[in-house]
Amino acid sequence: MYYSRLKLASVLGVCLLGLLLCLPNGIRKPALSIPWRQIHLGLDLRGGSYLLMQVDLPSLTHDRLQTLSENMREALLKNHLGYQDFRIDADKAVVSYLPRTPDEAQAGLTALDALPRLSAGEFTVTKLEDGRIALTLSPESIAAHAREAVTQSIEIVRRRIDGTGAIDPEITRQGDDRIVVELPGISDPERIKALLGTTAKMSFRLVDSNPLHATYPPTGVSLLPMANPADGPALPVYDHVDVDGADLTNAGATLDQKTGEWAVSFTFDSVGTRSFSSVTQANVGQRFAIVLDNKIIEAPVIRTPITGGEGQITGGFTAQKATDLALMLRAGALPAPLAVVEQRSIGPSLGADSIRAGMISLGVGFALVVVFMVLFYGRFGWYADIALLANLVLMAAILSLFEATLTLPGMAGMLLTLGMAVDANILINERIREEVARGRTPLAAMQAGFERATSTIVDSNATALLAHVMLFVFGTGPVRGFALTITIGIVTTLFTTLLLSRMLMARWYALTRPASLPV
Amino acid sequence: MLGRPLLRFVRKDTHINFMRGRYMGLLVSAVLSLASLILFIHPGLTLGLDFKGGIVVEAKTPAPADFGTLRAALAAHGLPHASIQSFGAPDDVLIRLDAGSGKETQTLVDTVRHTVADALPGTTILRADAVGASVSAELFRNGMLALGISLAMILGYIWVRFEWEFALSAVVTLILDLTKTVGFLVLTGFEFDLVMVAAILTILGYSTNDKVVVYDRVRENLRKYRTMPLMELINLSINETLNRTLAHPPRCFWQPCRWPYGAAPHCRVLHGPCCSALWWALLPPSSLQHHCCCSWGKAASSAALKQKQERPPPPEKKALPGWEKLPPRQGFFRVPLAPCLSLIRRP
């Protein structure tokens, strides 16, 4: 029942500090460079889009196997070794072939084992039971490659989104192969989806001029469709990449002066310039295809060698398309395709409605509780109400301190916490009432009330705390926001009921020394 | 002003013989739960977007929505299966589509968006969600996992904190509560989604809360009135805590109750959970029966309890380090954590 001055001051100090921490939410950030922490509003309250993207990791492995198989062929040819039945088994991460004769198997093994690896132990070369030679990617290297690819994808996604001028985008990794993109203020994510859904792997490859190959492409040549089907039938294009789109330093959308068409102009870096000029020098008169994500944007004929390291792509673009393509080329290609697996978008008006509704509910709920407590518990009810207000303030303070995100379910959580908080006060008051009814003196009744009720309060809050911490840890999406506010709310509830409201009651008793309690 | 309380729920000399109806209460409760279980199997819960996957688009049309035009427009775009309904106001439209393959779902939502905007010019899209089938399966698994683990934690806590008889009756009553809540959801047709999982957990948390309060009192009275018959003792405990039991729910019910009104119609996300919270407010009468039921469970093992009643501080507590220094009432946890935790409860 006795509270030292220090204890009194620290409890009040915490409440004041809470009030101070709440302030930034109501006031605009001043120009001064003081820490200004605010509660963030979730997408459901301010409007915006949430995209959950999945990185297509199998295609990543497939791409790597494809490259390796090309290297294998080259190595075998160089060593004058024959091969039959070249096969890529992406599920098992194996490339295998059948040597021409059993004698060549050993030579093939050594030749393939000498292939450059991205990392030590990236793959092993073995002879299978059926006489095939197999190159197998190790699971560790696949995992490492995947990790790297996701990190890289996040970086590229960020660059692409920044390029669109979106405000405060949040890009985070989720699990092994997922990326969460949160875009406040963008309620129609169609453009972003298109932007992120394009891998934007650009390459410059020669077109096979043999007309027979247009129908039956040999190994090393693929039949690629035109990006715009109106431009003509699919063309046979060499798999060998002469110039990689990754060697670009800059790209921009320009309006072609002569034709009045939108085009994307680009500049190569030194590597790109060198290879581009050597290819164009050696193949004057040939068609050179610009391939984006396995579709031919255009395939112009090389008239003169291009040595300046600059070029232009025209493919019947609209202004938007040219801008987006330039943006994607600048930001770089994604290591693997991204697919949207979940999207949620909320219009700004709905968010505003939700905030208003939430505030009304909070206000009305609070008012009801205040009136209820006063009607049922009198003076001690008033104290409980003060504690309840402090509870609300402290919750907001902690949320701002951690710059937590407040969502609609989070607001519901706050509201429910008020109910829990008031329950603790009811427990204390009911207990005091009982003790008074048993004929105890005011002091003894209050003391017994506090003490007996405490264990019940801690019990009931601890169960709720446990449940909601688990919900926060294992839950997803809206559940987490809800669990977070309730968890914080339970902690502040314990503080306000076990310390603040109790202290108020004790101080009142110490100051007035009443002959009977108003219960 | 208003220094003294004006109202109270029950008079302080209330003595309702709850235990007299214990068999009846348990029977009614069991029958209701069984009915709920049957409802759960057939027709089953209405899964929400989170767990079923698919598309939900909410739009506000400038005039009361013309469903015919909308349906025709959607059918023209190859979406004749779209379900169109209005909610709240006549100018609020809700369009749903079931999940197709992952990629399709994500592009379909744009089709729906454009179709609605073209068919009814001036329409604002309030919300457009698309959840792929693989994600929804994962969300469901995670949701159930979270629910399961949270429940296990609640039970674990009660088991640590109280004697096993209490924990057992807590399990039984919690299951009864859970099944009835599920039955309520099936009957009302509220969508079962992630927010609802949180709501169910809150309901169960509150229900546990009620139990903890009563158990606490039962335990206290067991120590206080060593010779009182068990039935009488439980009756006394329920009556003593009756004011609080009745006082608690309404507020928690009044508050969420504001949601549907204050938030209508757009916050339908929370509509279901709020109504479920309302449902919870109806639980206390039944939860009182649960107390009876739980005490019935205890009565079954009353011999064991009687024994416990008669031996002052349970011997196992003595054995734990740190306990000897504390007087019996101070014993908070039955695990050695107690001495540290008891610090927080010293004023």
Side-chain angles (χ1 to χ4, degrees):
Chain A
M1 283 298 286
Y2 171 73
Y3 285 85
S4 71
R5 261 165 209 280
L6 186 67
K7 205 164 177 179
L8 207 69
S10 49
V11 170
L12 291 179
V14 168
C15 294
L16 278 181
L17 186 71
L19 203 58
L20 203 67
L21 283 170
C22 280
L23 283 181
N25 293 305
I27 311 169
R28 193 182 287 196
K29 188 182 189 325
L32 296 166
S33 62
I34 49 170
W36 202 255
R37 289 166 171 271
Q38 277 176 320
I39 299 176
H40 286 269
L41 290 183
L43 289 181
D44 55 352
L45 292 181
R46 64 193 289 203
S49 295
Y50 165 99
L51 298 175
L52 181 64
M53 329 252 335
Q54 180 141 21
V55 184
D56 187 356
L57 293 179
S59 91
L60 196 69
T61 315
H62 190 268
D63 279 1
R64 180 64 189 146
L65 289 174
Q66 186 81 45
T67 319
L68 279 173
S69 77
E70 272 166 44
N71 293 352
M72 279 162 76
R73 269 196 213 106
E74 260 174 50
L76 293 173
L77 283 178
K78 211 156 62 189
N79 290 299
H80 308 292
L81 297 168
Y83 54 82
Q84 295 165 353
D85 193 19
F86 228 96
R87 238 188 261 162
I88 295 179
D89 186 347
D91 292 338
K92 290 184 193 143
V94 171
V95 194
S96 62
Y97 75 95
L98 194 63
R100 203 164 37 187
T101 59
D103 307 339
E104 283 184 6
Q106 193 54 45
L109 274 178
T110 3
L112 295 190
D113 208 36
L115 280 176
R117 290 168 162 84
L118 285 180
S119 56
E122 191 200 0
F123 54 79
T124 49
V125 185
T126 46
K127 192 176 168 197
L128 299 181
E129 281 169 19
D130 55 358
R132 298 177 71 88
I133 304 287
L135 181 149
T136 317
L137 284 176
S138 74
E140 297 81 36
S141 83
I142 293 177
H145 200 172
R147 242 188 335 267
E148 196 186 326
V150 175
T151 314
Q152 206 181 341
S153 301
I154 290 176
E155 183 51 39
I156 287 157
V157 164
R158 178 166 295 132
R159 271 189 254 157
R160 286 190 188 176
I161 290 175
D162 283 345
T164 64
I167 300 153
D168 295 339
E170 288 246 8
I171 298 140
T172 42
R173 182 190 205 122
Q174 192 189 75
D176 289 337
D177 57 352
R178 300 251 173 93
I179 300 173
V180 173
V181 178
E182 285 178 292
L183 304 160
I186 295 178
S187 50
D188 185 358
E190 203 176 348
R191 182 182 168 207
I192 303 272
K193 260 163 54 185
L195 211 54
L196 299 184
T198 315
T199 315
K201 248 183 203 145
M202 192 165 76
S203 57
F204 297 83
R205 309 186 207 167
L206 283 169
V207 177
D208 191 346
S209 53
N210 188 337
L212 261 182
H213 293 172
T215 28
Y216 303 108
T219 314
V221 175
S222 306
L223 215 51
L224 298 184
M226 301 296 285
N228 184 0
D231 288 352
L235 290 177
V237 180
Y238 287 106
D239 283 346
H240 179 78
V241 173
D242 294 295
V243 187
D244 197 335
D247 296 335
L248 291 175
T249 53
N250 200 8
T254 45
L255 198 59
D256 194 311
Q257 296 297 326
K258 279 173 273 180
T259 58
E261 248 190 283
W262 278 96
V264 176
S265 60
F266 55 83
T267 320
F268 282 115
D269 61 6
S270 60
V271 178
T273 308
R274 214 173 310 128
S275 39
F276 199 69
S277 66
S278 69
V279 174
T280 48
Q281 261 161 4
N283 296 289
V284 173
Q286 297 278 337
R287 289 184 85 181
F288 202 28
I290 302 167
V291 181
L292 185 77
D293 292 339
N294 284 326
K295 280 188 184 146
I296 301 170
I297 295 183
E298 59 170 344
V301 176
I302 305 171
R303 298 190 196 286
T304 50
I306 304 166
T307 51
E310 276 177 32
Q312 202 178 51
I313 311 168
T314 50
F317 297 127
T318 59
Q320 177 83 70
K321 266 197 162 167
T323 318
D324 283 353
L325 180 58
L327 168 62
M328 286 189 280
L329 292 179
R330 276 200 307 272
L334 289 167
L338 283 181
V340 180
V341 284
E342 180 185 350
Q343 61 170 315
R344 291 166 193 269
S345 42
I346 289 116
S349 60
L350 185 60
D353 277 357
S354 300
I355 295 183
R356 210 188 45 239
M359 286 300 171
I360 292 174
S361 311
L362 209 60
V364 173
F366 192 79
L368 279 177
V369 170
V370 165
V371 170
F372 173 88
M373 284 307 282
V374 170
L375 284 183
F376 279 71
Y377 296 101
R379 174 176 285 276
F380 288 164
W382 284 111
Y383 294 149
D385 290 339
I386 294 173
L388 211 57
L389 191 65
N391 198 352
L392 207 57
V393 167
L394 285 178
M395 262 163 83
I398 294 179
L399 284 173
S400 340
L401 191 66
F402 291 114
E403 302 201 294
T405 305
L406 186 67
T407 57
L408 192 57
M411 282 180 104
M414 277 176 116
L415 210 54
L416 291 175
T417 307
L418 289 187
M420 308 251 279
V422 91
D423 182 45
N425 283 301
I426 290 179
L427 280 169
I428 295 178
N429 286 324
E430 282 295 331
R431 195 68 209 216
I432 294 177
R433 218 178 239 185
E434 268 179 58
E435 299 298 330
V436 168
R438 277 193 194 127
R440 296 216 188 188
T441 62
L443 183 67
M446 280 174 75
Q447 226 156 9
F450 288 154
E451 193 153 322
R452 295 280 161 76
T454 302
S455 91
T456 315
I457 292 172
V458 174
D459 270 346
S460 54
N461 280 292
T463 43
L465 187 68
L466 276 176
H468 286 101
V469 165
M470 288 301 122
L471 202 57
F472 182 75
V473 173
F474 293 98
T476 28
V479 172
R480 280 175 73 99
F482 179 79
L484 178 73
T485 43
I486 290 206
T487 306
I488 293 175
I490 289 170
V491 176
T492 55
T493 297
L494 286 178
F495 175 81
T496 51
T497 47
L498 294 188
L499 283 170
L500 184 64
S501 68
R502 204 191 247 204
M503 199 183 76
L504 288 173
M505 288 156 85
R507 286 303 296 170
W508 168 78
Y509 181 83
L511 289 177
T512 57
R513 301 267 163 198
S516 70
L517 291 177
V519 288
Chain B
M1 185 182 98
L2 287 175
R4 287 191 171 268
L6 291 176
L7 304 167
R8 87 177 32 178
F9 275 104
V10 292
R11 290 154 54 91
K12 55 187 162 192
D13 52 352
T14 308
H15 286 295
I16 304 169
N17 191 355
F18 287 103
M19 294 309 282
R20 199 177 55 192
R22 66 185 184 279
Y23 293 112
M24 203 54 209
L26 186 66
L27 191 71
V28 171
S29 185
V31 165
L32 281 176
S33 283
L34 205 65
S36 299
L37 267 184
I38 293 168
L39 281 174
F40 175 66
I41 294 162
H42 185 85
L45 286 169
T46 320
L47 291 185
L49 179 73
D50 291 339
F51 294 155
K52 198 172 59 176
I55 296 172
V56 169
V57 173
E58 261 179 51
K60 198 168 189 64
T61 50
D66 181 0
F67 280 29
T69 319
L70 207 55
R71 195 159 282 139
L74 283 168
H77 281 83
L79 303 170
H81 304 302
S83 98
I84 306 171
Q85 52 186 159
S86 98
F87 66 95
D91 56 352
D92 282 312
V93 189
L94 186 77
I95 300 159
R96 286 165 198 278
L97 271 173
D98 281 347
S101 66
K103 198 149 195 180
E104 214 176 287
T105 309
Q106 304 305 325
T107 43
L108 271 185
V109 69
D110 291 323
T111 316
V112 174
R113 223 180 230 278
H114 293 310
T115 312
V116 175
D118 291 346
L120 305 165
T123 302
T124 32
I125 303 289
L126 297 175
R127 186 163 77 97
D129 294 353
V131 180
S134 62
V135 175
S136 60
E138 207 170 291
L139 287 177
F140 186 73
R141 210 172 46 237
N142 286 348
M144 290 303 109
L145 184 75
L147 192 62
I149 292 180
S150 305
L151 275 182
M153 292 304 278
I154 292 180
L155 293 178
Y157 183 86
I158 294 186
W159 180 67
V160 168
R161 199 50 196 87
F162 294 91
E163 278 79 12
W164 69 268
E165 291 90 350
F166 292 95
L168 186 75
S169 61
V171 176
V172 173
T173 49
L174 218 52
I175 289 172
L176 288 173
D177 280 354
L178 180 67
T179 45
K180 281 204 237 358
T181 309
V182 168
F184 171 79
L185 290 183
V186 176
L187 275 185
T188 50
F190 282 124
E191 282 184 12
F192 184 66
D193 54 15
L194 278 174
V195 183
M196 197 57 101
V197 167
I200 287 181
L201 199 69
T202 308
I203 293 171
L204 294 184
Y206 278 158
S207 140
T208 317
N209 212 333
D210 282 350
K211 292 186 222 319
V212 165
V213 170
V214 178
Y215 291 175
D216 237 24
R217 187 55 68 96
V218 170
R219 184 167 53 174
E220 190 190 319
N221 284 341
L222 276 175
R223 288 189 183 125
K224 212 190 293 179
Y225 310 106
R226 301 235 156 128
T227 52
M228 191 185 276
L230 192 62
M231 289 301 149
E232 211 173 299
L233 188 134
I234 294 172
N235 242 338
L236 177 74
S237 307
I238 295 177
N239 274 303
E240 277 179 347
T241 49
L242 194 58
N243 240 324
R244 180 262 161 204
T245 310
L246 291 178
H248 182 205
R251 259 168 341 292
C252 306
F253 142 71
W254 285 341
Q255 290 179 6
C257 222
R258 292 304 308 169
W259 280 92
Y261 300 117
H266 304 309
C267 296
R268 56 193 316 288
V269 194
L270 289 172
H271 188 85
C274 294
C275 293
S276 323
L278 189 151
W279 149 253
W280 172 77
L282 299 175
L283 272 180
S286 80
S287 114
L288 278 178
Q289 304 202 320
H290 286 171
H291 295 320
C292 310
C293 139
C294 78
S295 9
W296 173 77
K298 280 197 294 276
S301 59
S302 64
L305 255 173
K306 276 259 169 62
Q307 226 178 346
K308 267 188 192 162
Q309 262 176 274
E310 278 147 24
R311 75 189 164 206
E316 74 242 71
K317 287 187 180 173
K318 262 187 186 164
L320 296 169
W323 280 103
E324 315 86 316
K325 296 188 196 92
L326 296 165
R329 251 306 297 171
Q330 304 279 51
F332 190 74
F333 272 87
R334 289 164 59 205
V335 289
L337 208 64
C340 344
L341 270 170
S342 67
L343 290 178
I344 47 172
R345 48 189 293 272
R346 298 284 338 140

